[in-house]
Amino acid sequence: MLSSPACSPFRLPPTRGGARWRSTAAAAAAGTITMRDRSKNRKPTQRGRYLSTEAIQAVQSLKRAALRGGPAASAAAAVEPKLRRLLKADMVAVFRELAAQGEALLALQVFEEIQKEHWYKPRLLWYTDLVTVLASKGLRSEVDKACSYLKREQLEPDTEGFNLLLKALLDAGFTQLALDCFRLMKLWDSDPDRITYTTVINGLESLGKMDLCAGIRLEAENDYGSLDFHDEVETEEACVSSS
C-alpha cells in the first residue's frame, strides 16, 4: 500500500529553520524591490563641485574640441549641441567647473549660452566667477564684454555679491570697471556697506589711484559719519585670514 503524501519518505516535514530561511529570502526580495538607485541620491550641484555624468562628459568634450581646433573656432561649434541637452543645474555646473579649471574662453561661451535659456536669471556670483577667470588670463576685452552684459541686467539687491565682484575687478587692476560696478550697486538698491567701502578704498590705494580714493572716502564719510570702521573691517579680515 502506497504511503500518503504526508507520510511519504521523499517529503520532509517543514522545519523552523526552513521557515526562517523562507522569511529571510522574502525579506531580501522585498528589500531588493524597494531599494533606490544611488544615483538618485546625488548631492545637488554646488559651485561646480558635484557634476552629473552628463555634465562631466560635456566639460571633457568641450575641452577636447578646444584643443583640436583652437578655443575660438572649435568651441563655438561644439558648445551649443553639447549644452542644449543638459538640465539647468548641469549647464550651470559646466560653466562653473570650466571657470574653476581656468578655461576662460570656454567658460565665457558657456555663460553666453546660459543667457539664451528661458530659465536664465542673472546672479552676481556667476559674474564674479567669469570676471575672475577672464582677468586671470589677461583677457581684458573679454572682461569688458562680461561687464557690458552685467550693465544690461536687471538684478535684485545683492550687496555681498557686489563686494565679491568689486574685489575681483580691483585685484585684477580694472579700476574703471570696478567704479562702474560701484555705481551700479546704488542704481540697483544694493547699498554699499562697510566691507564695500573698505574693499574699494584698499583696492584703489593699492593701484595708486589716490584721487579716486579720496572721492570714495568722502562718500563713506557721508554714509557712515566717519571712517572709524575702516580699521575695524581690516582687523576682522586679517583675523579671518589667519584663522
Side-chain angles (χ1 to χ4, degrees), residues 52-83:
S52 69
T53 301
E54 294 78 9
I56 292 172
Q57 291 174 347
V59 169
Q60 294 172 342
S61 179
L62 292 172
K63 290 173 68 175
R64 284 196 299 267
L67 288 174
R68 283 197 301 268
S74 61
V79 163
E80 183 172 349
K82 296 296 181 184
L83 293 179

Side-chain angles (χ1 to χ4, degrees), residues 167-212:
K167 188 176 189 310
L169 288 168
L170 289 167
D171 286 349
F174 291 94
T175 305
Q176 189 56 53
L177 289 177
L179 292 177
D180 290 345
C181 289
F182 180 71
R183 302 306 171 198
L184 285 177
M185 288 187 71
K186 297 184 176 183
L187 181 63
W188 291 330
D189 297 325
S190 296
D191 296 330
D193 59 10
R194 290 176 170 84
I195 295 177
T196 307
Y197 283 116
T198 300
T199 298
V200 175
I201 290 171
N202 288 346
L204 293 175
E205 286 180 345
S206 67
L207 295 170
K209 306 294 184 180
M210 306 309 296
D211 53 338
L212 297 175

Side-chain angles (χ1 to χ4, degrees), residues 45-63 79 82-103 106-111 113-114 119 129:
T45 302
Q46 296 178 1
R47 299 185 65 84
R49 292 177 58 191
Y50 304 109
L51 302 177
S52 69
T53 301
E54 294 78 9
I56 292 172
Q57 291 174 347
V59 169
Q60 294 172 342
S61 179
L62 292 172
K63 290 173 68 175
V79 163
K82 296 296 181 184
L83 293 179
R84 290 298 180 184
R85 295 191 293 268
L86 296 179
L87 300 175
K88 171 185 176 180
D90 287 335
M91 187 178 285
V92 172
V94 167
F95 158 68
R96 304 204 70 189
E97 181 66 18
L98 289 170
Q101 293 185 19
E103 298 289 345
L106 284 176
L108 175 59
Q109 291 171 356
V110 173
F111 181 77
E113 290 298 320
I114 289 175
W119 45 259
D129 288 345

Side-chain angles (χ1 to χ4, degrees), residues 32-49:
T32 301
I33 293 173
T34 57
M35 284 178 64
R36 295 181 60 188
D37 183 0
R38 289 186 179 182
S39 64
K40 295 180 181 179
N41 297 325
R42 183 186 299 116
K43 293 182 180 180
T45 302
Q46 296 178 1
R47 299 185 65 84
R49 292 177 58 191

